[in-house]
Amino acid sequence: MNVNEVRRRLWEQSKEQKANRESGRPLFPSNPYDKRSRQLMDLMHNPTWLREAAEKVLARSQGKAVGVDKVTVKQFQEKLDDHLEELRLELKRGTYQPKPVRQVLIPKANGKMRALGIPCLRDKIVQEAVRLALEPIFEVEFHEDSYGFRPNRSTHDAVFQCRFLMMQKFTWVVEGDIKACFDNISHKTILKVVREKVMDNKFLDLIERFLKAGVSIDGVVHPTEKGVPQGGVISPLLSNAVLNKLDWFLHEKGIYGRRQLQRNRRYGESNIRFVRYADDWCVFITRGSKQLAEMLRKEIAEFLLRETGLELSEEKTHITHIRDGFDFLGFRLFAGIGRNGKIVPKIKVGQKAIENFKRNVDREIRYVSTPVSIAARIHRASKVVLGWGQYFRIAHNYAKVAGRLDYHTFWSMVKAICKKLDISTAQCMKRFKAKGTIHYQGVEYLARLSNMSMTHDFTKPDPYTPDGIVEYEHDLEVDLPPKRSSEGIRPGIMDLKLAQLRKDEFRCRKCGKRVMTGTSQLDHIRPVKSFASYEAANSEDNLQTLCTDCHKEKNALERRKRKNASTI
């Protein structure tokens, strides 16, 4: 089976079904449910389809939190063929039952906690198989101005579209947010939306099982009567399918077409456009008043409650003028005065984003246990710096904000080093300052936001094509606990790694390739579990530097030996 070819056929069939549904006329009525996708359940237990889903999930789940069964990626891969065959037979016989998702609480920007539901690996694989089938079907239906959790689209595309609408003289903005969207979506509404595109009762039953699987809180399983778990693979797609109704409701409020727009401008009539990213959206109004915006907000609230059972968040839904500015996806957008004296739309870093950056950097540098090495703190803080900079570098005030935040990061690291080593600031500067930042033994350098230049290159998102399976933003995953991060950095292990790198002259001991910290692994020649303690395993004669390829090859060889030994 060619997975890409099957997805293309599903995409083309979905386009035919949409055209058939929209072609109905009183003289020639047609059944809108004709040409729906069928026999999707056969794909779920196809070996090739299931393996494709497994490869994507296992690659994405490295270093991520585990489900209620506590099976890690490494454990699942050791008997991958057996697990997939067992999963395939359960799906084929109809005996497959998803396990409850494990609830994990993470802090939100407003001080509250966000509840994420972490599925087991086996459930993630089945959900990915469902997503592979549903994505080309629903991409035909999704509106062009919807950007959240879709292939070839990102938060930057949504922000730039808002800026474009502000340039087109749209003045009033209804900044909306749905109250606990993922937690309150009606299961009945989800199944109704999927049923409009899919005619396969077994497949629909599989989706309903995921929705009703329950959530495990402190070991106690609670039933789920509504909502989709944040952290589930198919949750973003299902929520988009439901909120797509809101998109087309707002589309009908606007006027499109060149001639209609010209007539609209001539007579001074108002017009409406919108931008939506998941459950965050902005509705733009031109040649209108605040009263019109208030009426539209009321209509949106009534439509959501009637069609989806969702409610608008009163504290996050505002009506503002572009001169006053509004917040969207961490940015602050407003109409300011340009260099030539004209009013131009500007994108700035939001105040909450700045506060979150300081909090996250301090958490990786200062608010950690004492044994965590200086190199590990620099490494972790640099990840926060690089990720934040890559996201916010499209802001007009990025350079100004970057300088202030670099100052905060620098001195936060200095304070942490002084406290850990019990030295003065002057001693710290002499030993650890170089090239305008903090370093550790000339190998690990603290990243700086100022080294990343602002970029404002914007191109329209590429159209969706099912030929290639494109990864979209998936930020609803949570990492493993800090005691061992996705890179496998234990507290203090960076010191050992750097010492071994210098001892091996920054070369792989097996193949001799030149390596650095990011392209090498500190390897234990004999496994750690064969020693009485972790300290004993870290003796100099048991450590070596390997490049990532040699390290993977060594681990694969050891797994094969263990497997062969267990079968004897």
Side-chain angles (χ1 to χ4, degrees):
M1 172 192 283
N2 188 325
V3 175
N4 290 343
E5 180 60 28
V6 174
R7 284 164 57 84
R8 170 166 283 282
R9 292 181 183 179
L10 290 173
W11 182 53
E12 292 174 348
Q13 184 179 357
S14 182
K15 288 197 294 185
E16 292 179 7
Q17 195 261 347
K18 182 182 179 182
N20 175 73
R21 185 180 71 243
E22 295 177 347
S23 65
R25 297 290 186 272
L27 267 177
F28 305 100
S30 61
N31 185 355
Y33 293 104
D34 283 347
K35 299 187 177 181
R36 289 181 293 174
S37 300
R38 302 166 183 263
Q39 298 178 340
L40 294 186
M41 196 61 193
D42 292 343
L43 295 176
M44 298 302 102
H45 53 74
N46 182 281
T48 305
W49 193 274
L50 204 59
R51 182 167 289 275
E52 180 75 28
E55 290 176 356
K56 292 172 66 61
V57 167
L58 294 176
R60 192 169 57 218
S61 299
Q62 291 285 350
K64 299 298 181 180
V66 297
V68 293
D69 60 357
K70 299 183 180 180
V71 176
T72 64
V73 173
K74 183 178 179 181
Q75 293 170 341
F76 197 90
Q77 286 178 328
E78 288 179 352
K79 296 183 178 180
L80 179 60
D81 294 338
D82 295 340
H83 288 311
L84 291 183
E85 180 62 19
E86 180 183 358
L87 205 55
R88 188 188 70 83
L89 291 176
E90 289 183 15
L91 289 167
K92 186 174 182 179
R93 295 166 180 168
T95 59
Y96 170 77
Q97 182 60 46
K99 296 182 182 296
V101 296
R102 183 171 70 89
Q103 187 180 86
V104 176
L105 299 178
I106 62 173
K108 296 172 65 175
N110 58 6
K112 298 181 180 179
M113 302 298 289
R114 183 193 301 274
L116 297 187
I118 310 301
C120 303
L121 273 176
R122 66 194 305 271
D123 295 337
K124 283 185 179 182
I125 291 172
V126 179
Q127 288 189 34
E128 180 66 20
V130 172
R131 188 188 71 82
L132 289 176
L134 285 183
E135 184 182 86
I137 295 173
F138 276 100
E139 277 295 327
V140 174
E141 300 288 339
F142 288 161
H143 197 280
E144 184 181 358
D145 292 325
S146 167
Y147 294 91
F149 304 111
R150 294 182 59 190
N152 302 331
R153 291 167 178 260
S154 67
T155 51
H156 288 178
D157 295 326
V159 173
F160 280 125
Q161 179 64 13
C162 289
R163 181 173 179 268
F164 172 77
L165 293 174
M166 294 168 69
M167 294 173 64
Q168 301 301 312
K169 306 292 179 66
F170 284 83
T171 52
W172 288 99
V173 181
V174 181
E175 179 195 355
D177 185 271
I178 299 173
K179 187 177 181 180
C181 177
F182 280 83
D183 298 331
N184 292 327
I185 293 182
S186 167
H187 291 174
K188 184 178 179 181
T189 303
I190 293 174
L191 294 173
K192 179 182 177 182
V193 170
V194 178
R195 194 173 286 112
E196 291 173 357
K197 299 293 294 181
V198 176
M199 186 176 181
D200 189 331
N201 289 334
K202 292 183 178 179
F203 184 79
L204 292 168
D205 179 64
L206 177 63
I207 295 177
E208 188 173 11
R209 291 184 191 182
F210 281 119
L211 298 176
K212 304 290 186 184
V215 56
S216 176
I217 305 175
D218 297 330
V220 180
V221 178
H222 299 264
T224 48
E225 301 298 332
K226 59 181 180 178
V228 291
Q230 297 191 60
V233 177
I234 58 172
S235 298
L237 179 61
L238 295 178
S239 62
N240 267 336
V242 173
L243 293 177
N244 187 53
K245 292 181 175 291
L246 172 63
D247 297 343
W248 289 104
F249 170 77
L250 293 173
H251 177 90
E252 293 174 358
K253 296 288 182 180
I255 298 175
Y256 297 81
R258 185 173 180 181
R259 291 185 178 180
Q260 290 181 338
L261 288 174
Q262 289 176 348
R263 180 182 180 278
N264 192 240
R265 294 191 187 99
R266 185 183 306 167
Y267 292 100
E269 298 176 359
S270 62
N271 198 8
I272 293 173
R273 290 288 187 275
F274 75 94
V275 176
R276 182 176 68 83
Y277 189 93
D279 59 339
D280 294 322
W281 45 267
C282 293
V283 179
F284 294 83
I285 303 172
T286 184
R287 295 182 295 277
S289 62
K290 188 175 182 178
Q291 288 74 17
L292 176 62
E294 290 175 348
M295 290 176 57
L296 182 60
R297 179 176 63 177
K298 184 177 180 182
E299 290 182 19
I300 293 172
E302 293 174 352
F303 175 83
L304 282 172
L305 188 61
R306 181 177 66 254
E307 295 293 331
T308 65
L310 297 172
E311 299 180 11
L312 288 185
S313 174
E314 294 294 335
E315 60 180 9
K316 295 182 180 179
T317 304
H318 310 286
I319 297 175
T320 56
H321 197 279
I322 61 170
R323 288 194 300 267
D324 299 325
F326 61 97
D327 295 316
F328 188 56
L329 301 177
F331 294 92
R332 181 74 178 174
L333 291 88
F334 67 98
I337 305 298
R339 293 182 179 179
N340 57 1
K342 294 182 179 180
I343 296 179
V344 294
K346 294 187 177 181
I347 304 171
K348 291 197 172 184
V349 181
Q351 187 59 38
K352 288 184 179 179
I354 295 175
E355 295 171 359
N356 288 339
F357 174 85
K358 293 179 179 179
R359 187 183 306 113
N360 292 336
V361 163
D362 289 343
R363 186 182 66 225
E364 300 295 346
I365 295 176
R366 302 178 65 185
Y367 307 133
V368 294
S369 60
T370 304
V372 177
S373 66
I374 297 172
R377 299 182 196 213
I378 293 176
H379 182 85
R380 294 172 180 176
S382 295
K383 286 182 61 178
V384 175
V385 170
L386 294 175
W388 193 93
Q390 191 65 32
Y391 184 83
F392 286 101
R393 60 191 297 213
I394 66 170
H396 290 94
N397 65 337
Y398 174 77
K400 182 179 179 180
V401 173
R404 287 163 36 204
L405 294 182
D406 282 341
Y407 179 87
H408 174 87
T409 307
F410 179 89
W411 286 106
S412 181
M413 182 61 72
V414 169
K415 293 176 183 177
I417 293 174
C418 292
K419 182 179 179 181
K420 179 177 177 62
L421 302 181
D422 193 19
I423 59 177
S424 67
T425 303
Q427 291 173 318
C428 176
M429 291 292 190
K430 186 176 180 179
R431 289 175 57 184
F432 298 100
K433 183 181 178 182
K435 300 180 181 180
T437 187
I438 299 296
H439 74 97
Y440 186 76
Q441 299 184 359
V443 179
E444 282 288 340
Y445 284 85
L446 181 63
R448 300 177 72 244
L449 293 170
S450 301
N451 292 342
M452 302 175 65
S453 59
M454 189 192 83
T455 178
H456 234 265
D457 296 333
F458 171 68
T459 56
K460 195 172 183 180
D462 295 330
Y464 172 80
T465 56
D467 295 333
I469 302 176
V470 183
E471 284 295 335
Y472 54 89
E473 291 186 355
H474 199 277
D475 58 357
L476 297 181
E477 298 272 6
V478 293
D479 294 332
L480 288 173
K483 62 183 179 181
R484 186 181 179 101
S485 71
S486 57
E487 280 83 20
I489 300 175
R490 296 186 182 93
I493 200 170
M494 286 295 291
D495 293 330
L496 295 174
K497 182 176 183 178
L498 293 174
Q500 192 63 37
L501 267 171
R502 288 192 298 274
K503 182 179 179 181
D504 293 332
E505 298 180 350
F506 292 89
R507 292 189 180 277
C508 173
R509 189 177 287 187
K510 184 175 181 181
C511 66
K513 185 168 66 175
R514 185 80 176 176
V515 293
M516 292 297 289
T517 54
T519 58
S520 65
Q521 293 287 344
L522 177 65
D523 179 69
H524 292 85
I525 300 174
R526 288 175 54 201
V528 176
K529 62 183 179 181
S530 63
F531 290 85
S533 66
Y534 185 66
E535 289 74 15
N538 289 334
S539 59
E540 292 185 4
D541 57 347
N542 193 50
L543 296 177
Q544 64 178 348
T545 299
L546 294 179
C547 66
T548 52
D549 293 336
C550 291
H551 188 256
K552 289 180 181 178
E553 184 179 342
K554 179 176 180 289
N555 288 341
L557 180 62
E558 290 176 352
R559 283 197 298 269
R560 286 196 297 270
K561 288 181 178 179
R562 288 196 300 268
K563 186 176 181 179
N564 294 336
S566 63
T567 56
I568 296 175

